[in-house]
Amino acid sequence: MNILVINCGSSSLKFQLINAETEQCIAKGLCERIGIDGSMISYQPAGGEKEKTVTPMPDHVEAIRLVLEALTNPTTGAVKSLEEIDAVGHRIVHGGEKFTQSAVIDDEVMKAIEDCNELAPLHNPANLIGINACKKLMPGVPMVAVFDTAFHQTMPEEAYLYGIPYDYYKNYKLRRYGFHGTSHSYVSKRAAEFLGQKYEDMKIIVCHLGNGASISAVKNGKCVDTTMGLTPLEGLIMGTRSGDIDPAIMEFIAHKEGKNIDEIMTILNKKSGVLGLSDNLSSDFRDIEDGYFAGDENAVRAMKSFCYKVAKYVGSFTAAMNGVDAIAFTAGVGENGPIIRTLVCEYLGYLGITLDEDANHKRGVDIQISTPESKTKVLVIPTNEELAIARETARLVK
Ligand code: ADP
């Protein structure tokens, strides 16, 4: 069974075709600048050359048409015809409280996703456009929605409620939802499997550290807390997002600089995080890492603040679970940044953690980076959200 996994944004669309039995990616690619001048599709079959084509893509229907054309191309295509694509799995950002797990897409599910638009105005409408485009071009092919928020729906009330008037929760469902759920679920399960322990008996902390970053506490196979909230702005310091701040800062800047709420939200989402803290050196952790080693004070400040915050949340989630058996690092920074893992773990001596620095410098494989004596295990588990979506899709359409 071949599953097409689609992650549709407002002007971009990432895709992977995955064989559900072998779990191998057969082809992957990306459409960029959809609806903007200079649209481009890149396509790469497994083991083949990556090709990039600049071609007009006025809308997502055209983008998906080009994806299907690339996948069935007689020379470089991964399949002979569309009939070899058995189902489509869509990454959906917000499932609100309605979706505690993935769902086969029908009219009712589409409506429920639309009802969540208000909670994710930048993402859910784009996800729906992707679903509609696939419906048009692949009529009758079953589709599944896999939600970024679903894994976190097991959080208890005390973890998801904000300390604001309860009416806001009752009337508007203002609460913490959490994101990156597909990754947190995949990595925590894989961590238990890697250690040969029962998922249902473990306390695991997953640090998904990418451009967007979040941590989750997974106790006995269920998420009990996570750092992102109503939106992905809460929690850790990220590439360009501030993470937690005193909300009164918004009022202060508004008064001081005469800014309106939209301008302030742009500052917190796009100009803060390590970009802001490094005095605009970079939002890319590779640059921050280089600067850190070169002793650049802007990079050192950003790096130390980022790692401190990660360690602080690991501590608070250890308290939330009354212990922790394993900590797993994942995503762009978590998988590739040994110095970040070292700096974070320097705070965690009280958990009996010592790092094996040789293992900490290996890349691209599931690996234990704590020493065998280490009381709490520390792992690096490369995430694979596409595979997790393909698994969910195959499970539901079978
Ligand atoms: P997102 O999906 O949120 O865009 P990713 O998980 O792809 O993020 O992570 C992107 C981040 O990973 C970038 O900041 C990038 O610099 C960082 N990254 C990639 N490779 C390395 C590396 N070798 N060392 C440190 N950071 C890295």
Side-chain angles (χ1 to χ4, degrees):
M1 180 185 266
N2 292 329
I3 313 279
L4 178 60
V5 175
I6 300 259
N7 181 353
C8 190
S10 56
S11 67
S12 71
L13 186 154
K14 280 192 223 161
F15 65 94
Q16 270 195 28
L17 188 65
I18 295 176
N19 179 306
E21 285 77 33
T22 63
E23 301 206 322
Q24 295 300 311
C25 168
I26 317 172
K28 62 180 177 182
L30 168 70
C31 299
E32 291 170 280
R33 302 181 64 85
I34 302 168
I36 311 172
D37 279 353
S39 324
M40 184 161 51
I41 176 170
S42 62
Y43 170 79
Q44 185 174 26
E49 291 285 306
K50 183 169 173 174
E51 52 187 60
K52 273 191 172 185
T53 318
V54 177
T55 175
M57 268 178 241
D59 55 30
H60 288 76
V61 175
E62 181 58 13
I64 299 219
R65 200 189 62 72
L66 289 163
V67 169
L68 299 178
E69 198 174 275
L71 287 170
T72 54
N73 180 294
T75 43
T76 53
V79 290
K80 288 198 191 68
S81 78
L82 288 186
E83 270 149 45
E84 291 178 44
I85 300 176
D86 301 287
V88 183
H90 290 270
R91 176 201 180 204
I92 309 294
V93 168
H94 219 305
E97 284 190 330
K98 166 100 183 160
F99 294 102
T100 56
Q101 44 185 310
S102 311
V104 175
I105 298 174
D106 58 15
D107 290 346
E108 204 180 313
V109 167
M110 298 273 290
K111 170 76 176 57
I113 296 173
E114 201 180 326
D115 289 344
C116 298
N117 277 0
E118 199 179 43
L119 295 170
L122 296 180
H123 296 103
N124 273 35
N127 299 159
L128 281 165
I129 290 171
I131 296 176
N132 278 318
C134 287
K135 267 174 108 173
K136 198 163 175 177
L137 295 168
M138 311 168 79
V141 175
M143 297 202 277
V144 169
V146 181
F147 300 91
D148 256 23
T149 50
F151 182 63
H152 304 300
Q153 276 298 307
T154 47
M155 285 194 286
E157 194 178 56
E158 59 271 27
Y160 72 67
L161 284 180
Y162 289 111
I164 57 176
Y166 192 55
D167 268 352
Y168 288 120
Y169 172 64
K170 284 194 294 192
N171 297 336
Y172 312 129
K173 295 282 171 219
L174 286 192
R175 50 160 284 178
R176 307 182 57 253
Y177 289 96
F179 299 87
H180 295 138
T182 312
S183 175
H184 286 291
S185 163
Y186 174 88
V187 172
S188 54
K189 280 190 194 117
R190 182 72 200 110
E193 199 177 81
F194 179 86
L195 291 169
Q197 294 181 37
K198 245 179 113 193
Y199 189 44
E200 291 73 22
D201 294 340
M202 288 192 77
K203 296 170 180 173
I204 304 169
I205 293 177
V206 178
C207 303
H208 176 111
L209 311 178
N211 202 11
S214 67
I215 303 187
S216 67
V218 185
K219 187 179 182 183
N220 305 335
K222 295 205 163 71
C223 176
V224 294
D225 207 344
T226 191
T227 55
M228 283 179 168
L230 174 72
T231 74
L233 185 55
E234 191 181 344
L236 301 175
I237 293 169
M238 309 182 210
T240 63
R241 294 186 202 130
S242 64
D244 303 333
I245 59 164
D246 180 343
I249 289 173
M250 300 170 80
E251 185 204 22
F252 187 95
I253 298 175
H255 287 161
K256 201 84 180 163
E257 300 191 344
K259 291 205 157 54
N260 64 32
I261 192 68
D262 291 343
E263 290 168 321
I264 291 176
M265 291 313 290
T266 302
I267 293 170
L268 296 179
N269 273 303
K270 304 245 153 85
K271 305 199 165 147
S272 300
V274 294
L275 174 69
L277 264 174
S278 68
D279 206 7
N280 294 317
L281 175 69
S282 179
S283 66
D284 192 305
F285 280 86
R286 278 166 288 207
D287 302 331
I288 298 296
E289 223 177 87
D290 291 347
Y292 176 85
F293 285 119
D296 178 308
E297 61 176 333
N298 289 316
V300 170
R301 180 190 318 116
M303 179 72 109
K304 282 188 168 173
S305 309
F306 174 82
C307 294
Y308 175 71
K309 195 66 171 276
V310 171
K312 207 162 125 170
Y313 265 117
V314 169
S316 77
F317 285 177
T318 302
M321 295 193 289
N322 190 20
V324 58
D325 301 310
I327 299 169
F329 286 91
T330 194
V333 182
E335 290 167 29
N336 297 302
I339 181 64
I340 284 155
R341 297 189 294 257
T342 301
L343 293 177
V344 169
C345 289
E346 275 176 7
Y347 288 103
L348 306 178
Y350 69 97
L351 293 175
I353 289 176
T354 44
L355 279 195
D356 170 346
E357 277 302 337
D358 281 343
N360 188 29
H361 280 76
K362 299 236 162 66
R363 240 178 224 183
V365 287
D366 297 344
I367 192 165
Q368 177 169 326
I369 60 168
S370 53
T371 58
E373 306 76 50
S374 192
K375 194 166 148 275
T376 304
K377 308 288 173 221
V378 183
L379 312 174
V380 177
I381 306 278
T383 193
N384 193 339
E385 287 166 284
E386 288 78 13
L387 175 59
I389 293 173
R391 281 181 182 164
E392 280 291 276
T393 306
R395 182 177 69 82
L396 285 177
V397 303
K398 254 177 198 158

